[in-house]
Amino acid sequence: MQKISVTPQDDAACGWYHTAPARQARPAHRGDRHVRWAVIGAGFTGLAAARQLALHFPQDEVVLIDAQEVGFGTSGRNAGFAIDLPHDIGADDYIGDITIARNTLKLNRMGQGLLHALVQQHQIDCHMRASGKYQAAVEDRGIAVLEAYRRGLDKLGEPYEVIAGKDLPARIGTHFYRQALFTPGTMLLQPSALVKGLADSLPPNVTLYENTAITEVDYGSQVRLRHAQGCIRADKLVLANNAFGARFGFLQRTVLPMYLYASLSRPLTEAEQQLLGGEAFWGVIPADPYGSTVRRTHDNRILMRNSFSFNPCQRSKPACLARFARQHQQSFARRFPMLPDVSFDYTWSGSLALTRNHNGFFGQLAPNVYGALFCNGLGITRGTVTGSLLADMIAGKRHELMEFLLATSGPSRLPPEPFLSLGVNATLWWGQRKAGLES
């Protein structure tokens, strides 16, 4: 028996969740039942896996289980960038091995395509737009990163536009940045709204149980999933719960549960929109990994996201929320001095499942148990495509990208404690300190 002592419990004020269209949560599971297929985690990965299993096995019921409400957890807490391009921060040119980069590009674009088709088919109101993204810099270090990435994009043969600082206000309103690299392939969206819409458009043979936290698992010829109100017995189990997958007895000491923090402003008034200028909808990611991600949303709010914490307990930390909300206000003021009276309506944290070698897991974990885990910050596209391909693999289908995932899958082991926490916290402290104005 594997006891699950830690279950998802995110902080309450996720701006994406509260500004997305409301939906009626599905009831929690109660009692004892048997199903052929069970999927744990109703984020991007689990939704894709459950949908594809249901299509492959239309006579079977697929049970999808989440510890919280759909759209409230990790998949509804990111910055809403569905990015197509690879971005290997361990490589000098941020592209690295060209064969791996090209397959990564195919994976990401397949994920984008799956999501775009579902949004169109089911008319999901998530403000998905093919807007591209700006990767922007203000410090010399950041400018060097943009130059290196430009060389990598040349090697990959992907289009981009270098935009000088003097031309950026016409695009994003602010004079803050010295240079940006615009790439056209990113889709911007409201992540919680998308997750909610995907959940409400699942095939009829998928049963979704929300607010059902699994607390014990027995593995065997059947997998027994126990929770506070009962038990679900499944012939086959798919783990699609990202960092929490390691709590189920597999891949121990391979994932770093990092938390990243975001704030969403109140809507800008018409006068403030005029003062800001620029385009009505855009997204900026930082050249420095410890810098700020910034968005102007469909409803004229500004999203500011920066600051990390290492939370091995996999719990939100209220003290971090308060401290980083102040950091967000400072970062906002540096970029938008023309908007001195704009406050934040929401501040929240979101989990990232990072691995030391930047590889997730894809494949079979044990007899009757499969997993697509650890998206390394690319959950929208990578979670969608790996969840779908995992269901294809279970159904006996084959795809060149599936073979690529199987060949490159596998996170490396982490150092033991206390060295792990000391090293991670020191790295975070130094990275955020040297980011300077990029933060």
Side-chain angles (χ1 to χ4, degrees):
M1 180 185 297
Q2 177 72 32
K3 290 188 176 294
I4 315 298
S5 59
V6 177
T7 59
Q9 293 181 18
D10 287 298
D11 47 71
C14 176
W16 292 132
Y17 175 82
H18 292 293
T19 60
R23 63 178 287 275
Q24 181 64 48
R26 307 291 175 84
H29 176 257
R30 296 177 182 273
D32 189 350
R33 64 169 310 192
H34 168 255
V35 296
R36 186 177 181 195
W37 308 100
V39 180
I40 295 181
F44 288 110
T45 309
L47 286 163
R51 183 184 300 274
Q52 197 71 353
L53 283 172
L55 295 176
H56 282 308
F57 303 99
Q59 304 306 313
D60 293 341
E61 182 183 12
V62 179
V63 164
L64 177 60
I65 307 159
D66 201 277
Q68 302 181 114
E69 285 190 25
V70 164
F72 184 76
T74 297
S75 287
R77 290 171 176 262
N78 60 67
F81 288 70
I83 296 175
D84 59 335
L85 294 171
H87 190 79
D88 180 0
I89 62 174
D92 290 339
D93 61 0
Y94 294 85
I95 295 300
D97 181 275
I98 194 67
T99 300
I100 292 176
R102 285 178 176 147
N103 280 310
T104 300
L105 183 63
K106 290 179 184 177
L107 279 169
N108 293 344
R109 286 182 173 162
M110 183 177 176
Q112 284 185 328
L114 290 169
L115 288 171
H116 185 264
L118 289 168
V119 167
Q120 293 297 308
Q121 178 184 353
H122 299 289
Q123 295 297 292
I124 298 173
D125 182 15
C126 65
H127 307 282
M128 177 182 284
R129 301 184 192 179
S131 303
K133 64 172 170 59
Y134 299 89
Q135 189 165 3
V138 63
E139 303 259 22
D140 288 344
R141 290 176 58 253
I143 300 294
V145 168
L146 296 185
E147 175 62 22
Y149 195 37
R150 185 191 63 76
R151 293 194 301 269
L153 292 174
D154 284 339
K155 184 172 73 173
L156 194 59
E158 287 298 312
Y160 60 83
E161 180 185 359
V162 178
I163 306 171
K166 64 182 178 60
D167 299 319
L168 280 170
R171 306 284 192 100
I172 59 175
T174 175
H175 293 261
F176 178 75
Y177 298 102
R178 289 170 52 197
Q179 190 181 97
L181 194 67
F182 177 78
T183 49
T186 292
M187 297 190 305
L188 297 177
L189 50 90
Q190 213 278 28
S192 184
L194 175 56
V195 177
K196 292 179 180 183
L198 292 171
D200 287 342
S201 61
L202 288 166
N205 57 324
V206 177
T207 299
L208 171 61
Y209 294 119
E210 299 179 61
N211 295 309
T212 303
I214 303 302
T215 55
E216 292 181 0
V217 185
D218 284 335
Y219 298 107
S221 57
Q222 284 186 348
V223 181
R224 296 177 182 271
L225 304 167
R226 294 187 174 87
H227 57 86
Q229 302 297 326
C231 177
I232 298 170
R233 293 172 289 113
D235 295 337
K236 307 287 184 184
L237 172 66
V238 172
L239 291 179
N241 49 350
N242 215 20
F244 283 94
R247 298 281 178 178
F248 281 70
F250 304 103
L251 306 168
Q252 301 293 306
R253 284 183 40 219
T254 62
V255 63
L256 295 166
M258 309 296 296
Y259 279 65
L260 188 52
Y261 296 79
S263 290
L264 191 64
S265 79
R266 63 162 173 78
L268 304 182
T269 66
E270 289 190 12
E272 288 166 340
Q273 294 172 44
Q274 291 297 316
L275 287 170
L276 174 60
E279 298 169 346
F281 191 81
W282 48 259
V284 173
I285 66 169
D288 190 299
Y290 292 94
S292 294
T293 296
V294 191
R295 277 191 60 185
R296 182 174 177 179
T297 67
H298 66 281
D299 54 352
N300 287 302
R301 298 174 186 264
I302 302 294
L303 173 82
M304 183 67 61
R305 187 177 76 157
N306 61 44
S307 305
F308 293 83
S309 65
F310 176 47
N311 298 16
C313 63
Q314 293 181 258
R315 290 282 190 272
S316 175
K317 296 181 177 180
C320 287
L321 281 173
R323 182 167 80 252
F324 294 141
R326 293 191 292 272
Q327 173 65 46
H328 295 161
Q329 199 69 60
Q330 293 169 5
S331 300
F332 182 97
R334 283 198 292 265
R335 287 160 176 80
F336 307 109
M338 75 293 286
L339 304 174
D341 299 321
V342 175
S343 58
F344 292 127
D345 280 350
Y346 306 96
T347 297
W348 68 93
S349 65
S351 173
L352 291 172
L354 301 182
T355 61
R356 191 177 187 181
N357 60 355
H358 310 295
N359 285 343
F361 179 86
F362 176 92
Q364 188 163 5
L365 290 159
N368 306 316
V369 184
Y370 303 84
L373 301 164
F374 316 152
C375 290
N376 285 280
L378 293 173
I380 296 178
T381 51
R382 185 59 62 90
T384 297
V385 71
T386 55
S388 183
L389 287 174
L390 184 66
D392 288 346
M393 187 194 80
I394 293 169
K397 308 296 181 182
R398 282 294 176 261
H399 190 287
E400 62 172 344
L401 292 177
M402 185 190 304
E403 304 303 330
F404 167 70
L405 286 168
L406 289 168
T408 58
S409 179
S412 57
R413 295 274 286 180
L414 296 168
E417 292 289 8
F419 306 105
L420 176 63
S421 290
L422 288 171
V424 172
N425 286 323
T427 299
L428 291 179
W429 179 84
W430 177 239
Q432 293 175 103
R433 182 178 178 84
K434 72 178 182 179
L437 291 175
E438 305 283 358
S439 66

